[in-house]
Amino acid sequence: MLKRFLATTAEGVLGIRSPAFLLLVCALWLAVLAGIRPLMLPDEGRYVGVAWEMLTSGDWLTPTLDGLPFFHKPPLFYWLTALALNLFGANGWAARSASTLAAMIAVAALHVFLRRHADKRLANLVVAVLVTQPLFFGGAQFANLDMLVAAMITVTILCGAHAVLSLERGQPYRAALASAYVFAALGVLAKGLIGFVLPGAILLAWLLVGKRYQVIRSLLPLRLIFLFVVLVMPWFWWMEMSHGGFLDYFFVYHHFQRFAESGFNSTKPFWFYVPVLLLGTLPWSPWIYRACSRRFLQEEGQFAIRSLMVIWLLVVLVFFSWPSSKLAGYILPALPPLACLIADVLLVWLDGATRANARACLGASLLAAVILCSGLVVGVALRYPSPSRSLSAQVLPSFRPGDQIVMLDEYQYDLPFSLGAARNPWVVSDWNRSDLFAKDNWRRELYDAGQFDQVKKRERLLFPDELSARVCRYSGGAVWVWGKRGWGSRYPYLRDEAIVFANEEDTLWRLVDLHQNLNYCAEMPNSG
């Protein structure tokens, strides 16, 4: 009975005729669990927090962190996320919708490309393998820029390859080529130069390996280069005009100088991404060894697609392995070609094996992948709870958007988003500490952002001895102070009776009309 069910499942996936139905199932699969867990810190809290500030401030041009210009990344992810938050509210699904949408764009583009240049069975199986890879599945439900830029790179490559293959067959190709330039521009707006450098390098290597030298010139028309510049340039130009030094900070520092620094939190060995790919694509990755044979790669009629996928995979792997700083999400652009190679060898094996047993084996792999992906998301939700979710349930009834949040020697990225705050927090720390630039952390992010707006920097980033006077002068509503319980001994007004939330590590105090109700403020010379 089980064997028959598994075989039927596999046969059903391979035989799906309606692309719309297949993509709808994939969209539901990728989205259904996206909102069950709180935002993970720091990454999801940081990027969703920037989008939340964009929405609440009404400034859709300048990304800000705590109201300070935050230029680590371009704005495309923030635009998409802010739009989703505006349409669907401040919740986990909306916060992760940009990544889920990007994943579906990559899936749809890969399916369309393979249906046109290979066959329906391969296109269906590639989609099934791709969306059930735990690394891809998790990336589609993680609110940062990795899946978005991976999708833009994927579509750029596929549109470019489609243009090449159509040109060689004497078919219309200009619309596909123009689409490649548009998605390359979106890739730049998603994460910077990598948006066109990486797909450009992959397509060039593919053309050179296939000895398609005469095609290269046709892929570089001046009008499309101009289109690319027109799409990319305005935002970067406006940021430089509005915030002098932006281009140097964004391109020279973040794209080049940081690779020579030693203060990364994510320094990994050169081979780091090999086990990441093998483990992150289980249970499918063991099949990849079959794609390494020369006979498979050089099979007549299949070389163009298979060579593209091999070159795509290898270029991405080498490109991201070279720098010392590595994060698992960086390798997401390698997952579509890897899924294609795995699905391709699976089809070859299915066609040469006993039909029922082979289909049952494929069905079992699909079932195992579904269980693994679902278990991954549920396990992360249980293993890494965020204090902001339980906090918001207790605090939201008495919190007002205009209340002031204060953070003591830490920056809880998701707190303003979780509470729906309209005001930027005051962040208290020693901003002159000697190790401020020793490594990447929230202090360095806020300090760097403050360099582009000194007025707001003085307003938002406080030294410990400045907090009391600032709180005593404040008369706009309640003040909510977030920090460790030990900080209460530094300020007499952070009393136990003011605590509205506490767990093993964090405490939230609520102060109301402090300047009127406490003698402490009346005794201060600058209390007003």
Side-chain angles (χ1 to χ4, degrees):
M1 181 70 70
L2 178 59
K3 181 178 178 180
R4 182 182 302 174
F5 168 76
L6 294 174
T8 302
T9 300
E11 193 68 39
V13 170
L14 293 173
I16 293 176
R17 295 183 178 182
S18 170
F21 173 75
L22 177 63
L23 296 177
L24 176 61
V25 171
C26 290
L28 293 174
W29 160 247
L30 294 177
V32 69
L33 296 178
I36 69 168
R37 58 183 178 82
L39 298 180
M40 293 184 67
L41 303 179
D43 284 359
E44 287 194 301
R46 178 194 302 114
Y47 296 120
V48 175
V50 173
W52 174 253
E53 290 189 24
M54 185 173 283
L55 177 62
T56 55
S57 69
D59 182 357
W60 289 71
L61 286 176
T62 307
T64 60
L65 183 66
D66 197 23
L68 305 171
F70 184 65
F71 293 136
H72 283 213
K73 301 294 186 292
L76 183 59
F77 176 86
Y78 308 131
W79 287 341
L80 295 175
T81 305
L83 179 62
L85 295 175
N86 187 43
L87 292 175
F88 306 115
N91 57 72
W93 275 280
R96 299 184 176 101
S97 61
S99 295
T100 306
L101 175 63
M104 279 308 305
I105 290 174
V107 168
L110 192 59
H111 188 265
V112 170
F113 178 82
L114 292 173
R115 279 182 70 98
R116 180 165 300 182
H117 297 288
D119 60 64
K120 179 191 70 176
R121 293 167 70 241
L122 178 61
N124 290 351
L125 186 54
V126 167
V127 167
V129 171
L130 182 59
V131 299
T132 56
Q133 292 175 342
L135 188 55
F136 187 89
F137 182 76
Q141 301 183 15
F142 196 80
N144 72 354
L145 290 76
D146 292 336
M147 181 56 77
L148 182 60
V149 71
M152 298 302 102
I153 289 171
T154 295
V155 182
T156 301
I157 294 170
L158 295 174
C159 287
H162 173 57
V164 170
L165 296 173
S166 298
L167 176 62
E168 291 181 334
R169 297 167 184 169
Q171 300 171 348
Y173 72 94
R174 290 183 174 85
L177 185 59
S179 298
Y181 276 82
V182 170
F183 280 102
L186 292 175
V188 174
L189 290 173
K191 206 169 182 180
L193 296 179
I194 188 180
F196 79 91
V197 170
L198 193 54
I202 291 167
L203 289 171
L204 178 60
W206 179 56
L207 293 174
L208 294 177
V209 168
K211 299 180 180 180
R212 296 179 170 93
Y213 311 120
Q214 71 281 2
V215 176
I216 296 176
R217 181 177 296 181
S218 301
L219 302 181
L220 300 171
L222 289 177
R223 63 182 181 278
L224 291 185
I225 296 174
F226 178 74
L227 172 65
F228 173 84
V229 173
V230 167
L231 293 174
V232 168
M233 182 177 165
W235 183 80
F236 290 96
W237 177 83
W238 184 254
M239 289 301 99
E240 176 65 21
M241 294 300 99
S242 304
H243 306 279
F246 160 78
L247 292 178
D248 179 77
Y249 179 78
F250 182 82
F251 287 109
V252 177
Y253 177 63
H254 274 284
H255 280 71
F256 300 105
Q257 290 183 1
R258 279 171 57 89
F259 286 112
E261 292 185 357
S262 59
F264 289 116
N265 301 336
S266 52
T267 301
K268 299 291 189 301
F270 182 84
W271 47 262
F272 171 74
Y273 286 121
V274 173
V276 167
L277 280 177
L278 294 177
L279 294 175
T281 57
L282 287 172
W284 305 108
S285 53
W287 288 94
I288 193 60
Y289 80 95
R290 286 177 170 261
C292 299
S293 68
R294 179 177 298 181
R295 180 180 177 183
F296 171 79
L297 295 176
Q298 296 182 346
E299 183 178 340
E300 185 177 355
Q302 305 297 325
F303 178 77
I305 303 300
R306 289 174 179 172
S307 63
L308 172 64
M309 298 304 165
V310 170
I311 291 169
W312 181 350
L313 174 62
L314 292 178
V315 170
V316 172
L317 187 60
V318 172
F319 183 90
F320 287 108
S321 296
W322 193 262
S324 60
S325 177
K326 299 177 180 68
L327 293 173
Y330 291 173
I331 204 65
L332 288 178
L335 298 185
L338 181 61
C340 188
L341 291 171
I342 291 172
D344 205 350
V345 298
L346 273 170
L347 274 185
V348 173
W349 173 74
L350 285 171
D351 292 339
T354 304
R355 182 180 180 88
N357 291 338
R359 293 325 189 254
C361 181
L362 176 59
S365 297
L366 281 170
L367 180 60
V370 168
I371 294 173
L372 186 59
C373 290
S374 303
L376 173 68
V377 174
V378 174
V380 169
L382 296 175
R383 177 67 177 83
Y384 299 102
S386 170
S388 297
R389 173 168 289 188
S390 55
L391 179 151
S392 60
Q394 300 180 36
V395 171
L396 272 177
S398 56
F399 185 88
R400 299 294 176 264
D403 289 351
Q404 181 63 55
I405 297 173
V406 179
M407 299 186 186
L408 302 179
D409 207 37
E410 64 177 314
Y411 191 73
Q412 188 75 14
Y413 290 97
D414 62 336
L415 190 60
F417 168 76
S418 298
L419 295 179
R423 299 175 64 94
N424 298 116
W426 301 335
V427 185
V428 180
S429 188
D430 180 6
W431 300 104
N432 289 330
R433 56 190 296 167
S434 58
D435 63 343
L436 185 65
F437 297 103
K439 59 181 180 179
D440 293 327
N441 56 29
W442 63 268
R443 288 188 187 87
R444 186 171 182 175
E445 291 172 353
L446 290 175
Y447 186 88
D448 283 355
Q451 300 304 101
F452 289 96
D453 194 328
Q454 294 291 334
V455 174
K456 290 183 179 178
K457 175 186 175 183
R458 289 191 291 271
E459 177 186 342
R460 311 280 160 72
L461 307 184
L462 308 182
F463 288 89
D465 58 1
E466 295 178 320
L467 177 61
S468 296
R470 179 72 67 85
V471 169
C472 287
R473 289 197 304 268
Y474 181 75
S475 58
V479 176
W480 302 78
V481 182
W482 173 268
K484 307 302 180 186
R485 186 182 294 269
W487 274 76
S489 61
R490 301 191 185 188
Y491 301 101
Y493 46 83
L494 297 181
R495 300 169 180 170
D496 289 348
E497 57 266 27
I499 295 176
V500 294
F501 172 85
N503 58 23
E504 295 179 356
E505 297 182 0
D506 304 297
T507 305
L508 181 67
W509 293 267
R510 182 172 185 261
L511 311 176
V512 183
D513 293 331
L514 182 64
H515 66 296
Q516 297 180 8
N517 297 337
L518 293 182
N519 293 331
Y520 177 84
C521 289
E523 296 172 358
M524 297 189 65
N526 58 349
S527 64

